[in-house]
Amino acid sequence: MCEANAYIDRDGKEELYLENVDILKPEDGKLYLRNLFGEQKVFEGKIKEISLLRHRIVLEKK
């Protein structure tokens, strides 16, 4: 599988935001995420880091 888990960086600590993300795209200045199960979230912030090998996306507030 190629999905990743998305985390939010809060003051150096990472908090799980959404598991098994298969779609991540910018939308109206925000980030739209959807996982394999159809769960959707919109995050107001930016991508801090993506690790394809570790299947991780780290987001942070603007």
Side-chain angles (χ1 to χ4, degrees):
M1 296 284 192
C2 296
E3 68 277 358
N5 290 334
Y7 300 87
I8 298 174
D9 183 305
R10 293 185 196 268
D11 300 324
K13 295 182 180 180
E14 294 180 2
E15 175 182 304
L16 182 62
Y17 185 65
L18 186 64
E19 293 180 294
N20 301 309
V21 174
D22 70 336
I23 294 176
L24 169 63
K25 63 181 179 179
E27 196 171 270
D28 298 326
K30 300 174 185 173
L31 296 171
Y32 168 83
L33 298 93
R34 189 182 76 196
N35 70 11
L36 290 175
F37 309 106
E39 185 178 357
Q40 303 173 34
K41 291 190 173 185
V42 176
F43 182 76
E44 291 188 40
K46 62 183 183 178
I47 297 170
K48 179 179 178 185
E49 174 186 325
I50 296 176
S51 173
L52 299 176
L53 287 177
R54 296 173 60 201
H55 305 273
R56 294 171 38 87
I57 301 164
V58 181
L59 308 172
E60 66 182 0
K61 294 278 186 183
K62 288 184 181 176

